């Protein structure tokens, strides 16, 4: 049992300085997965040394892949080829990481050995049928718990066949899971998404010279390909940068520059939403690194105003809503989010947990089935429970910048799943967090 950590945030302050936040979590996972099944040696720079990505790394080591590092964000993966993974000795424990579990489900359905996937209490309560059902249609055999959750028992040696799948939810995890299974299936696997979701899997597969087609809203793959090892430079995670984008917007006299941030258009919903709210955000030094767009971002204080968040931006900002709710509490008038039911099945029920916490701090926040209505409020002090959800813990830390009293945040140890340096960086820039 990991020790529980409590954050105490003193009210007020501003954020100033220039930082580089750690590497992108989604890309870090994928770099290990694809590097492991590539032919040859893959070098990764900027790898996220946090629990979630390390869970993926350990899983592949347990399947016989030799992986050096991480050291200062550098990882060397000695790929074993598409059919070179070996049966792990025991269950693969994936901690808090939904991405590891859902993507591995697809990849492991195509292997010739059995595996068992487990996780912590949060991960073992998250819905897995969204991947096991389409995989079953492809011929996979995965046993879930009665309610469709992990532990998952994946049977190896099944002959997979490609399917055409219309995803009922816009999920990059489901899309990626099926594309990975599709690399082992007979015929074409076609995944259609109801709205654009992050496309790191497709981009990185291309980087590894594995053909993936894109036709409108469909991603298409088959088993006729091999992965060629390559070098990967992981940019900073825009989902981690988001705490500073909001923090520097809401705290007076702030001026923060975030360097080398990934600005893949399937991830920049947070910038679009904040700009619509009147944020002062400048994106510059744009370049492409390893097939992914990267830029520096400068953000300065501004008076935000409430908006109705366009539903089309929801999948493009899906992980940023906890901190966007804090921005909404500081924005003139009302902010309304709809079409975001998915937030209820993240690391915690992010609609309920954020509403409870905001209300505990005196914010006028009303949860709805698929979103939240927030009216501008004075943020008070108090105690909030992050329910072990990293992004909730960090969002309430940022709320301290505009609070009028001390905020105590419980259950913050999982900040280590995505952003172990958060406390150091945010205090360096000016927040009083202990
Ligand atoms: C992720 C996809 C998103 C996101 C998660 C990471 C990924 O989940 O919330 O943190 O790396 O593919 P969904 O695709 O299920 O929305």
């Amino acid at each position: 049992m990991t020790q529980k950590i409590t954050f105490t945030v003193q009210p007020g302050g501003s954020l100033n300085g220039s930082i580089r936040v750690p590497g992108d979590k989604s890309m870090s996972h994928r770099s290990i997965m694809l590097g492991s099944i590539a032919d040859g040696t893959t070098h990764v720079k900027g790898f996220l040394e946090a629990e979630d990505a390390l869970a993926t790394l350990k899983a592949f080591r347990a399947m016989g892949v030799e992986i050096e590092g991480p050291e200062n964000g550098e990882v060397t993966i000695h790929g074993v080829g598409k059919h070179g993974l070996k049966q792990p000795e025991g269950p693969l424990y994936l901690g808090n990481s939904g991405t590891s579990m859902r993507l591995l489900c697809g990849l492991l359905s195509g292997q010739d050995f059995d595996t068992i996937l487990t996780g912590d209490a949060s991960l073992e309560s998250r819905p897995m049928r969204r991947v096991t059902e389409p995989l079953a249609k492809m011929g996979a055999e995965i046993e879930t718990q009665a309610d469709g959750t992990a532990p998952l028992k994946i049977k190896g040696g099944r002959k997979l066949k490609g399917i055409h799948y219309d995803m009922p939810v816009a999920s990059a995890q489901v899309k990626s899971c099926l594309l990975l299974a599709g690399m082992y299936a007979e015929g074409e696997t076609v995944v259609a998404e109801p709205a654009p979701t992050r496309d790191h899997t497709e981009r990185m597969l291309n980087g590894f010279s594995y053909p993936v087609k894109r036709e409108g809203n469909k991603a298409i793959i088959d088993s006729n390909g091999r992965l060629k090892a390559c070098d990967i430079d992981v940019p900073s995670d825009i989902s981690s940068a988001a705490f500073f984008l909001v923090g520097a917007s809401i705290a007076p006299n702030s001026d923060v520059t975030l360097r080398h941030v990934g600005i893949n258009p399937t991830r920049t919903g947070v910038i679009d939403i904040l700009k619509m709210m009147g944020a002062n955000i400048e994106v510059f030094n744009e370049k492409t690194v390893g097939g992914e767009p990267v830029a520096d971002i400068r953000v300065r204080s501004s008076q935000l105003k409430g908006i109705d968040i366009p539903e089309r931006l929801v999948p493009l900002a899906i992980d940023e809503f906890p901190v966007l709710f804090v921005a909404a509490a500081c924005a003139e008038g009302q902010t309304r989010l709809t079409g975001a039911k998915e937030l209820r099945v993240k690391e915690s029920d992010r609609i309920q947990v954020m509403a409870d916490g905001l209300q505990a701090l005196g914010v006028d926040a009303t949860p709805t089935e698929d979103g939240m209505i927030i009216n501008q409020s004075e943020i008070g002090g108090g105690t909030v429970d992050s329910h072990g959800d990293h992004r909730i813990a960090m969002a309430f830390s940022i709320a301290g910048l505009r609070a009028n009293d001390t905020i105590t945040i419980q259950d913050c140890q999982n900040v280590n799943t995505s952003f172990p340096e958060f406390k150091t960086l945010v205090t360096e820039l000016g927040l009083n967090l202990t």
Side-chain angles (χ1 to χ4, degrees):
M1 178 87 195
T2 28
Q3 208 189 340
K4 297 242 170 183
I5 292 176
T6 301
F7 282 174
T8 306
V9 186
Q10 300 307 327
S14 53
L15 296 181
N16 284 284
S18 164
I19 54 168
R20 179 165 171 167
V21 301
D24 187 89
K25 184 147 79 74
S26 293
M27 289 184 226
S28 295
H29 283 298
R30 289 158 171 80
S31 69
I32 298 291
M33 295 180 188
L34 300 186
S36 291
I37 56 165
D39 299 315
T41 304
T42 291
H43 297 283
V44 186
K45 274 200 311 194
F47 181 80
L48 173 66
E49 295 185 43
E51 285 171 8
D52 275 13
L54 292 172
T56 293
L57 186 152
K58 285 183 197 144
F60 280 87
R61 266 193 193 138
M63 290 188 284
V65 183
E66 194 193 321
I67 304 174
E68 295 167 58
E71 214 180 298
N72 297 324
E74 293 195 19
V75 179
T76 302
I77 308 160
H78 299 275
V80 295
K82 213 170 138 185
H83 298 282
L85 296 176
K86 294 201 176 71
Q87 179 159 33
E89 274 173 19
L92 298 173
Y93 176 74
L94 302 171
N96 195 243
S97 178
T99 306
S100 310
M101 188 168 279
R102 297 207 177 105
L103 270 57
L104 274 178
C105 251
L107 183 64
L108 295 177
S109 293
Q111 307 304 315
D112 57 14
F113 51 83
D114 300 352
T115 33
I116 297 176
L117 304 183
T118 66
D120 69 8
S122 156
L123 182 55
E124 290 195 353
S125 67
R126 296 180 66 186
M128 291 297 148
R129 284 201 183 111
R130 56 181 58 201
V131 289
T132 59
E133 282 177 0
L135 286 171
K137 289 193 177 124
M138 294 177 76
E141 198 184 316
I142 304 175
E143 197 184 302
T144 68
Q145 304 306 296
D147 58 354
T149 58
L152 304 175
K153 284 190 185 160
I154 304 173
K155 199 109 196 88
R158 308 276 307 173
K159 226 176 148 34
L160 302 186
K161 55 180 190 309
I163 56 167
H164 181 133
Y165 190 64
D166 286 311
M167 286 196 294
V169 284
S171 165
Q173 292 179 345
V174 176
K175 173 178 65 176
S176 303
C177 162
L178 299 179
L179 292 176
L180 293 174
M183 295 198 314
Y184 295 90
E186 192 189 304
E188 266 187 352
T189 297
V190 182
V191 189
E193 45 188 11
T197 67
R198 64 190 70 191
D199 63 357
H200 306 301
T201 302
E202 299 92 304
R203 285 178 191 245
M204 207 180 278
L205 278 166
N206 284 327
F208 277 95
S209 314
Y210 199 99
V212 195
K213 277 187 284 184
R214 193 74 222 195
E215 281 173 15
N217 70 336
K218 299 184 188 75
I220 304 164
I221 200 165
D222 63 37
S223 61
N224 299 316
R226 294 187 73 86
L227 297 108
K228 263 208 252 120
C230 62
D231 289 346
I232 297 174
D233 187 351
V234 180
S236 292
D237 198 327
I238 191 168
S239 297
S240 296
F243 298 102
F244 301 95
L245 295 177
V246 170
S249 294
I250 63 172
N253 306 314
S254 295
D255 187 348
V256 169
T257 298
L258 300 151
R259 298 190 310 271
H260 204 72
V261 182
I263 53 157
N264 179 315
T266 60
R267 294 289 297 283
T268 46
V270 62
I271 296 179
D272 299 335
I273 292 168
L274 285 171
K275 279 191 171 165
M276 286 176 74
M277 295 174 84
N280 183 349
I281 296 177
E282 223 181 296
V283 178
F284 60 105
N285 277 344
E286 286 188 45
K287 57 184 173 208
T288 304
V289 177
E292 289 276 355
V294 173
D296 296 333
I297 306 177
R298 182 174 180 191
V299 52
R300 282 171 278 182
S301 324
S302 54
Q303 177 54 58
L304 301 179
K305 49 184 196 307
I307 58 164
D308 285 349
I309 298 172
E311 289 193 7
R312 71 178 169 80
L313 292 178
V314 169
L316 312 181
I318 192 67
D319 292 336
E320 287 65 76
F321 286 106
V323 78
L324 282 169
F325 292 150
V326 172
C330 302
E332 272 168 13
Q334 187 174 76
T335 298
R336 283 195 303 193
L337 173 68
T338 54
K341 211 170 163 184
E342 274 294 297
L343 294 180
R344 292 200 178 272
V345 291
K346 292 294 176 186
E347 286 83 327
S348 70
D349 175 344
R350 287 184 174 160
I351 292 177
Q352 196 57 49
V353 172
M354 280 305 297
D356 291 345
L358 287 168
Q359 287 167 4
L361 302 179
V363 174
D364 178 358
T366 309
T368 63
E369 200 199 337
D370 67 343
M372 185 107 76
I373 301 166
I374 298 176
N375 288 306
Q376 184 180 28
S377 307
E378 186 70 13
I379 301 178
T383 299
V384 298
D385 187 343
S386 77
H387 287 261
D389 185 328
H390 55 140
R391 299 201 199 280
I392 305 257
M394 291 185 275
F396 281 117
S397 304
I398 292 301
L401 290 161
R402 281 283 289 268
N404 56 27
D405 208 343
T406 307
I407 300 178
T408 303
I409 311 159
Q410 295 169 331
D411 213 358
C412 295
Q413 59 288 345
N414 279 342
V415 167
N416 287 329
T417 62
S418 68
F419 198 170
E421 300 86 340
F422 175 72
K423 179 177 165 286
T424 309
L425 287 178
V426 81
T427 48
E428 216 173 273
L429 292 189
L431 180 73
N432 186 342
L433 185 158
T434 49

